[in-house]
Structures are given as C-alpha cells and as structure tokens.
Amino acid sequence: MSNETILVVDDNRQIANLMAGKLLPSMGYQTLVAYDGQSGLEFIHKHQAYIDLVLLDLQLPDMSGLDLLRILSNEGRSVPTILMTAHGSEQVAVDAFRLGVEDYLIKPVEPDGLADAITLALTETRLRREKARLTAQLKDQVSWLSALTFVGRSVTSTLDLDDVLRRIVDAGVYLTNAEEGFLALLEEQTGQLYLRAVKNLDASKASTLRIPVQDSITGQALHMGKPLRLTKTADGPPLKVTTGYLVYSLMHVPILLRGKALGVLSVDNRTTQQAFKEIDDSVLQSLADYAAAALENASLYRQAQLEIAERKRVEIALRESEERYALAVRAANDGLWDWSLKAGKIYFSPRWKEMLGYTNGEIGDDPQEWFGRIHVEDVQKTRLDLSAHLKGLSSHFETEHRMQHKDGSHRWMLSRGIAVRDEAGHPTRIAGSQTDITERKRAEQKLYFDAFHDSLTGLPNRALLMDRLRHAMERSRRRDSYKFAVLFLDLDRFKDFNDSQGHTSGDKLLITIGHMLGQHLRPTDTVARIGGDEFVILMDDINDAGDATRLADRIQKELKTSVHPSGHTVFISGSIGIVLNDPVYLRPEDILRDADIAMYRAKASGKSRFEIFDPGMRERIMERLTLEKELGLAIEQQELRVFYQPIVSLDTGQMIGLEALARWQHTERGLLPPANFIPLAEDTGQVVSIDRWVLREACRQTRQWQLQTPIEPPLKISVNISGKQLAQGDVVDFVAGVLQETGLDAQFLNIEITESALMADFDLTADIFQKLRALGVQIQIDDFGIGYSSLSYLSRFPLNALKVDQTFIGMMMHDSNYLKIVQAIVVMTHGLGMGVIAEGVETESQVAQLRELGCEFIQGYIIAQAMDGEAVQLLLEKVRAGEPVFTSL
C-alpha cells in the first residue's frame, strides 16, 4: 500500500468525491480534496511537504487550472501535477507542459488510464528526486576535492599547525568524531607540518598508525584554536632524527564539512620510515595516491566538473535505456514499431500488423499506415501526445486511440514509445509498442456507463444529470442569451399500478415511458430517471418558456394515450414541474428542488398537469414544513379530536354505527378536517401515531356509550387504519390490547382500510385480516372503486362490507357510466356475501337511486355531518327513544 498523498482539485463534487473517497484510496493512495482553485492553493501552501501529486481540473469556478499553476510558479513552488479537462486544445496542452505538468488527460478519465498516468507521474517525480540526491552527492565530492586543493596549497606554504587549523576553520571545515581526513606529518628540524589526504580510512588500518610517542618528546592535546607545540623534556636527550621514531599521532580528531565527515588530523615524523613498514601496503598506496591528487588542485577541479557532466549524461542515457528495455519486456506479446524521424519511415512488426488483421506484406513503412487508420476523433489527441514527447514536454509518449481493423471495425490500442535524442537534445528516432486494449476499454466504458446511467431504463441517472445541469448553469452565466429549462415528471398513481400489477409490469412501464420521453427530445437535451417513477428533462438552449410548456403538453398527451408494456394496455398520467434558468440559482440541487416543488404543486392541483415554479411555491412548502412540525407537537399535546359520522340503514332509517374521524383543533387555524393534515401525516409517518390514538379513543368512547346509553342493535364503531399501520409488525397485538383495555367487544369494531392500501402487500394484508377476524373484528374496504383490486383478490380476503367511494356516488346521477359502475359494485359485493355502504350521500335522488340498486347502508351529509361526542350523545338518546335517524321517500 502506497503512502503517497494526492490532492484532487475539481469543482465537480460528484467526480472529486468519487476520486478522493473511493477510486484513489482503492489504488492505495491517501487523498485531499478541494472544490475550487483558492482552496487548492491553500492546501498546497499548508501541506506541500506531504502532497506528492495534484489532480487538477482545467475549469474551476474561481480560476483556471493554468492560472493556479502560474501562481505556484511565480511563488517558486513546484508540485507534480496531472491536468484534467473536457475542453482542451493543443495550445492548452502546450501551456500546461510549459508550466511543468506531468500529464494531460481528457475527461471522462477511465480508472485504468488514470492509474497509469498517476504511476508514471509519481515515477518521474521519484527519478527527479533521485537525480537531485545524486547531484547533491556529486557536489559534496566537489567540496571534498576543493578541500584537498586547499591542503595541496598548504603543503607548499610550510604553515605551522595552528595556522593550518585556522585556515581549515575559515574554509568552513570543523572538527568532530570520525575516521577519515588528513594525515599531518611533522618535520622535526623545522617544526612544520606536511599534510596528506586520506578519505574513507578504515578504522582497523587507522589503528596501526597509533605508534607510541618517545619519552624525549612530549605533545599537547589538539583542540580547536589551540596549536600543537613540540618540546624537549627537562632531562631528555636533544631532539634528533631516529629511524622508527614517531613524534605524535592524533587519529581521533576528524574534520567535518557541512555535517559530513571528511577526515581526521594525525601528526607523524616524516623521517620515521621504519614505523611506516608496519603499515599495510594498501594503506600506504592510498596515502600516496591521495597526496598526489591533492597537489594537482587545478586540474583535479576541472576533472571533477567534467565528471559531474558525464555522470548526468550517463545517468539520463541509462534511465532511458532501462525504460526502453522495460517497455520491450512488457510488449513481448504486443506489436512493436520503430520510427526513424530523419528517414520518415516506420518499421511495424508482424504482430503490430496482425492486430489490425493484416499480413506482414500488406502494410508498408510510411507513417500514414499508422495515422491513416486512427479514428478521426482520436487523431488530434494522438498527434498532440506525440508532439509533446518529441518536444521534450513529457518523459515518454503514451496514448490510447481507436484504429480501424481490416474488417472495418475499430479496435482500441494503447501506444507507448520513447524518443532517442542526439547530443543537442533533438529527437532522431522513437520506438515503442502497441497493445490491444479493446476488452479493457469495453469493461471501463461499461463501468463508466453504469456509474452515470440508470440500470433499468439506460437513461442518464442523477449524477450525470447534475453534471450536465451544472454545465448549463455555467453557460448561462457566461452568455446572457442562453436559456434552459428543467422539467420534473412524476407518474400519477404509479405505486397503485406497481402494487396491483406487480413490479415486473411496473418496470416494463417505466422502460416504455423512458423510451417515449427520449423520442420527444433533441440530441442536445437530456432525459434522466432519478429514482422510482421520477424523470427529469433538461432542455438545452431554448428560446423562451413556451418551448418548455409545449414539451410538457406533448408528454402529457402521450401519457394519456394507451401505453403497451408487453401487450398490456395501460392508461396513465403524469404531473410535471417546470423551472426556468435564473441567475439566483447557485447550485443545480436548488433547481431540481424547485422543479420538484412545482411538480407537487401540479399533483396537488389535480394531477395530469404542469406548473411553472414561482417563489410562492417555495413559501407554501415552508408552510407545509411548519405544519409538519406543528402536527408533531399537536400529537404530543393532545390537540387532536375524534368526531363521528352516523351510518344508517336504508330499510329502517335506524343508525347501525358510527365512523370515527380525526380532527385537529389547531391553536391558530381552528378545527382542521382530515384532508388538511392526514395526507401530510401519511407522508411523514405520523399517521401511525394518529391511527392508534383514534382507535383507542373511539373504542373507549363507544364502550362508554354502550354502557350509558344502550341501543338495539348495540352501537358499532368503524375506525380507519392506514397502510403504514398494517406494515407495523404488532398491529394485531395492538388492536387486541385496545379491546381488552377499553372493554369493547371485538364484534362491535369495524376496521376500515382503503383499497389501495389493501393491495400494497397482498400476502401480509391477508394474514393480518385473518388474525383480526379470529379476534372477532369486522373488516371493511373504504373508498372502493378507485384502486386496482380485482374480484379474484377480494374473494380471498375475509371482508364484511365495501364502502363505495363518494366520487362514484356524486357522479352517478350525471353520468350513466358511473351509475353502471355503482350497480356492478353492488351486485358483485352481494355475490361475495358482503354488505354495501355508500359514502358521501347528499341528495334525495341519490338515496332513491341507491335504494333501487339494492344498497343497504348510506353515510353522508344528508344524514349528518361529523359531530363531536356531545352531539353523538344527544343522537343516541333520540335513537333510544325510538326516533329514526333518517327518513326519506
């Protein structure tokens, strides 16, 4: 795992986070991320020592990538960089390479291509650092040789020891502990020193130079700034030359240059030839060689300079040779090519030609044999990459492009090469390899496609839509005449269709609609599926709002016609919200949010229509959020009330039961009906708490009325529960607990559930109903006729009654089709052994028609509106006194 750190600078947060959060860590790199140029500069200023590479987008919101590189260059900073862009040019590439970028990638960047580019860039960085280290090492060697030069001058000037030390200190050479340096030889008669250079003197050899000092001569310890003085002892013999006689030896005082050990000072009598016989011959030879080198100071310095230049040249040539060798090894099974730039001819290996379906004799040596087969869309980039390397702007040539096969198809090829240059640095030849990467590219393209497209419909997904929307916003800011629109489409009642027909049919319907939407768009427009049954259309470069509204109208008309997924005729509609471009929008997420708001406004206004967003819609959404918060507090603070509406028999006019209905006693808005807050509660999940509170309160109150004001038959209570309530795993246990807690017999409780909730999860609902029936609870279907249930499904549920939706009751006197539907429901329900209750009955003519159709029970304003507990108590007293609740002709 690599410890290298990569800074990603890209304003596309989706791409930047994908790279920094997943892609680069999966390659073993640590990451930093910035979304604009200024943040990127701040990261580099603060963490340059830890940043090994920068992935830099060309187009940033506050500056271009090139501007960022120029700022770093003016500051004298250099950070290895790979430039990425979707809108590049040859001039941009040239400017980028002049500013020192390692590579230049065209978006979208495939993962493997990015990995290869990063590897090469970091490799080049390591090579440069190694080159710098070697250069520094050579400079140290020059410093060492310069010191030897100074010593050589000291030999001829017969300096005494303290002057030698002073001059060495002045030259920047210091004393410390090491085992290499200069060997100082003392002349007995004059008291002067001769210095010999000794580098890398082995410690074991150095110890042989520590020969005992004679009694007749004493020495002082050598310290910085204190010269060595040689004197006779008071009783000692006169100073004279004696064979094998060593005056003084200091092997423990080394010399250091800029913290690096250069050598050690030693004092010796140059006449003690006998003593030197005890020293290894190789050491003596080393001493002699270094001493001779020290005396040749001028020529030695020039030779060192030549050595540095030669070493650099050899190092570069060796690295290029190694790269060519490594490339040849990797390309052993690939096609090879060798281009003589002077002759203008290319050698193509048989394998190179075979990759394109040709035999050896079918392709010549003209460069056009190569470039003439490159896909027209890839020629410019290939030439650009090649030109960059030949100009010395990149360390090697590498590019991916499509080439035409003999059979007419195109294959993806990876071409690599390294140029050979003359002494002046001009390229004379370039050789390399060709690899067939078609399968890899197909896999990468599939991964890229999957990352930015919906797996079901193949349409762009949210990520790709947001990227294109961001670019549209940028164009709008740059060009006043440019306009765009966003249409947010949500299918009406798709969940009901999906639940009743099955998810497979639902998926087929979505695919059909996605295809239909694409047929209405221009090539520059985008249609995306962002989830479920939600589609978003980005209309690019429109004239005015009329273009958007006309498209919305065409889509809705198309949806209203029959759709045929797998041969099934389906009638469906959709609600559309429209947002036009506006400078106030700073983020694409804000545009999508407002389009969603407009769509919900269209859905709330009756569905199958479109609405153009205006700021007032956002205010209403804020009101909705406020109401949602207030509803939560209302539940906690018991602001909800239970009202009751009578259900009567058409035959007798007697009340047979009540339906419990929730009301909200709002502190500021007064008494709110269910339509004002139950849909909100459904969306937020608060309906579960409301359902349970209403059930408990209705059962408690009903039992109290049964005890205080009993009637015959005993009073029954009907309570609605939502589909979300059924999804709770403890619903049966909760109902049983409420009945036990309140003392109400289960036979007097009717549980009502809507037809659409009934079909949401068929198996789960059937199981719950069976368990509730086992308790003795009655089951009724509410709002029947507007869902997608069938007779075969209804026959499998343990139902007691159906309540016909008030929409049909209200229309049956005006439309014979609705009358026929009501008649069919009554006949079907009786055939299944269930009762029928008509909801929303308001007129005498409706009552007469229902009686004629055979409907047994009715509920609605013609009898009474929903009433509070006190009004119900009065009504029960009338019933107990034998008065009918309802009388009609």
PDB file of all heavy atoms in Angstrom, residues 159-171:
ATOM      1  N   LEU A 159      53.101  25.921   6.381  1.00  0.00           N
ATOM      2  CA  LEU A 159      52.401  26.546   7.500  1.00  0.00           C
ATOM      3  C   LEU A 159      52.634  25.745   8.766  1.00  0.00           C
ATOM      4  O   LEU A 159      52.752  24.524   8.728  1.00  0.00           O
ATOM      5  CB  LEU A 159      50.895  26.608   7.213  1.00  0.00           C
ATOM      6  CG  LEU A 159      50.485  27.403   5.977  1.00  0.00           C
ATOM      7  CD1 LEU A 159      48.998  27.209   5.732  1.00  0.00           C
ATOM      8  CD2 LEU A 159      50.798  28.863   6.125  1.00  0.00           C
ATOM      9  N   ASP A 160      52.670  26.432   9.924  1.00  0.00           N
ATOM     10  CA  ASP A 160      52.731  25.662  11.160  1.00  0.00           C
ATOM     11  C   ASP A 160      51.326  25.207  11.523  1.00  0.00           C
ATOM     12  O   ASP A 160      50.340  25.617  10.917  1.00  0.00           O
ATOM     13  CB  ASP A 160      53.387  26.450  12.300  1.00  0.00           C
ATOM     14  CG  ASP A 160      52.639  27.732  12.612  1.00  0.00           C
ATOM     15  OD1 ASP A 160      51.469  27.819  12.188  1.00  0.00           O
ATOM     16  OD2 ASP A 160      53.208  28.626  13.249  1.00  0.00           O
ATOM     17  N   LEU A 161      51.239  24.339  12.494  1.00  0.00           N
ATOM     18  CA  LEU A 161      49.992  23.613  12.763  1.00  0.00           C
ATOM     19  C   LEU A 161      48.840  24.549  13.121  1.00  0.00           C
ATOM     20  O   LEU A 161      47.717  24.392  12.651  1.00  0.00           O
ATOM     21  CB  LEU A 161      50.200  22.599  13.889  1.00  0.00           C
ATOM     22  CG  LEU A 161      48.995  21.722  14.236  1.00  0.00           C
ATOM     23  CD1 LEU A 161      48.533  20.965  13.015  1.00  0.00           C
ATOM     24  CD2 LEU A 161      49.366  20.774  15.356  1.00  0.00           C
ATOM     25  N   ASP A 162      49.086  25.579  13.964  1.00  0.00           N
ATOM     26  CA  ASP A 162      47.978  26.441  14.356  1.00  0.00           C
ATOM     27  C   ASP A 162      47.446  27.237  13.168  1.00  0.00           C
ATOM     28  O   ASP A 162      46.248  27.494  13.052  1.00  0.00           O
ATOM     29  CB  ASP A 162      48.391  27.379  15.497  1.00  0.00           C
ATOM     30  CG  ASP A 162      49.580  28.242  15.119  1.00  0.00           C
ATOM     31  OD1 ASP A 162      50.297  27.865  14.181  1.00  0.00           O
ATOM     32  OD2 ASP A 162      49.768  29.286  15.789  1.00  0.00           O
ATOM     33  N   ASP A 163      48.302  27.627  12.239  1.00  0.00           N
ATOM     34  CA  ASP A 163      47.850  28.355  11.048  1.00  0.00           C
ATOM     35  C   ASP A 163      47.045  27.438  10.129  1.00  0.00           C
ATOM     36  O   ASP A 163      46.035  27.843   9.535  1.00  0.00           O
ATOM     37  CB  ASP A 163      49.058  28.936  10.309  1.00  0.00           C
ATOM     38  CG  ASP A 163      48.631  30.042   9.336  1.00  0.00           C
ATOM     39  OD1 ASP A 163      47.465  30.479   9.438  1.00  0.00           O
ATOM     40  OD2 ASP A 163      49.456  30.445   8.503  1.00  0.00           O
ATOM     41  N   VAL A 164      47.504  26.179  10.011  1.00  0.00           N
ATOM     42  CA  VAL A 164      46.768  25.216   9.195  1.00  0.00           C
ATOM     43  C   VAL A 164      45.349  25.033   9.753  1.00  0.00           C
ATOM     44  O   VAL A 164      44.353  25.076   9.021  1.00  0.00           O
ATOM     45  CB  VAL A 164      47.504  23.866   9.137  1.00  0.00           C
ATOM     46  CG1 VAL A 164      46.617  22.801   8.495  1.00  0.00           C
ATOM     47  CG2 VAL A 164      48.797  24.000   8.366  1.00  0.00           C
ATOM     48  N   LEU A 165      45.271  24.825  11.054  1.00  0.00           N
ATOM     49  CA  LEU A 165      43.948  24.641  11.664  1.00  0.00           C
ATOM     50  C   LEU A 165      43.078  25.874  11.480  1.00  0.00           C
ATOM     51  O   LEU A 165      41.881  25.789  11.201  1.00  0.00           O
ATOM     52  CB  LEU A 165      44.100  24.319  13.150  1.00  0.00           C
ATOM     53  CG  LEU A 165      44.721  22.954  13.463  1.00  0.00           C
ATOM     54  CD1 LEU A 165      44.944  22.830  14.955  1.00  0.00           C
ATOM     55  CD2 LEU A 165      43.843  21.837  12.964  1.00  0.00           C
ATOM     56  N   ARG A 166      43.668  27.084  11.661  1.00  0.00           N
ATOM     57  CA  ARG A 166      42.898  28.305  11.496  1.00  0.00           C
ATOM     58  C   ARG A 166      42.337  28.409  10.088  1.00  0.00           C
ATOM     59  O   ARG A 166      41.168  28.741   9.874  1.00  0.00           O
ATOM     60  CB  ARG A 166      43.766  29.518  11.808  1.00  0.00           C
ATOM     61  CG  ARG A 166      43.014  30.852  11.679  1.00  0.00           C
ATOM     62  CD  ARG A 166      43.937  32.010  11.972  1.00  0.00           C
ATOM     63  NE  ARG A 166      45.063  32.024  11.044  1.00  0.00           N
ATOM     64  CZ  ARG A 166      44.958  32.426   9.753  1.00  0.00           C
ATOM     65  NH1 ARG A 166      43.810  32.838   9.288  1.00  0.00           N
ATOM     66  NH2 ARG A 166      46.019  32.449   8.961  1.00  0.00           N
ATOM     67  N   ARG A 167      43.145  28.100   9.088  1.00  0.00           N
ATOM     68  CA  ARG A 167      42.694  28.208   7.710  1.00  0.00           C
ATOM     69  C   ARG A 167      41.626  27.146   7.380  1.00  0.00           C
ATOM     70  O   ARG A 167      40.708  27.402   6.599  1.00  0.00           O
ATOM     71  CB  ARG A 167      43.874  28.078   6.746  1.00  0.00           C
ATOM     72  CG  ARG A 167      44.860  29.220   6.874  1.00  0.00           C
ATOM     73  CD  ARG A 167      45.769  29.293   5.682  1.00  0.00           C
ATOM     74  NE  ARG A 167      46.704  30.412   5.814  1.00  0.00           N
ATOM     75  CZ  ARG A 167      47.429  30.897   4.802  1.00  0.00           C
ATOM     76  NH1 ARG A 167      47.311  30.357   3.606  1.00  0.00           N
ATOM     77  NH2 ARG A 167      48.250  31.896   4.994  1.00  0.00           N
ATOM     78  N   ILE A 168      41.799  25.982   7.971  1.00  0.00           N
ATOM     79  CA  ILE A 168      40.770  24.938   7.745  1.00  0.00           C
ATOM     80  C   ILE A 168      39.423  25.386   8.330  1.00  0.00           C
ATOM     81  O   ILE A 168      38.373  25.238   7.718  1.00  0.00           O
ATOM     82  CB  ILE A 168      41.219  23.594   8.353  1.00  0.00           C
ATOM     83  CG1 ILE A 168      42.355  23.008   7.526  1.00  0.00           C
ATOM     84  CG2 ILE A 168      40.054  22.602   8.418  1.00  0.00           C
ATOM     85  CD1 ILE A 168      42.944  21.756   8.101  1.00  0.00           C
ATOM     86  N   VAL A 169      39.490  26.004   9.526  1.00  0.00           N
ATOM     87  CA  VAL A 169      38.256  26.503  10.144  1.00  0.00           C
ATOM     88  C   VAL A 169      37.643  27.613   9.298  1.00  0.00           C
ATOM     89  O   VAL A 169      36.438  27.669   9.058  1.00  0.00           O
ATOM     90  CB  VAL A 169      38.522  26.987  11.574  1.00  0.00           C
ATOM     91  CG1 VAL A 169      37.291  27.714  12.140  1.00  0.00           C
ATOM     92  CG2 VAL A 169      38.882  25.815  12.468  1.00  0.00           C
ATOM     93  N   ASP A 170      38.464  28.523   8.801  1.00  0.00           N
ATOM     94  CA  ASP A 170      37.970  29.621   7.967  1.00  0.00           C
ATOM     95  C   ASP A 170      37.309  29.088   6.700  1.00  0.00           C
ATOM     96  O   ASP A 170      36.419  29.733   6.139  1.00  0.00           O
ATOM     97  CB  ASP A 170      39.114  30.570   7.580  1.00  0.00           C
ATOM     98  CG  ASP A 170      39.601  31.363   8.784  1.00  0.00           C
ATOM     99  OD1 ASP A 170      38.869  31.402   9.797  1.00  0.00           O
ATOM    100  OD2 ASP A 170      40.706  31.932   8.703  1.00  0.00           O
ATOM    101  N   ALA A 171      37.760  27.942   6.206  1.00  0.00           N
ATOM    102  CA  ALA A 171      37.188  27.362   4.983  1.00  0.00           C
ATOM    103  C   ALA A 171      35.854  26.655   5.252  1.00  0.00           C
ATOM    104  O   ALA A 171      35.249  26.098   4.346  1.00  0.00           O
ATOM    105  CB  ALA A 171      38.166  26.385   4.357  1.00  0.00           C
TER     106      ALA A 171
END
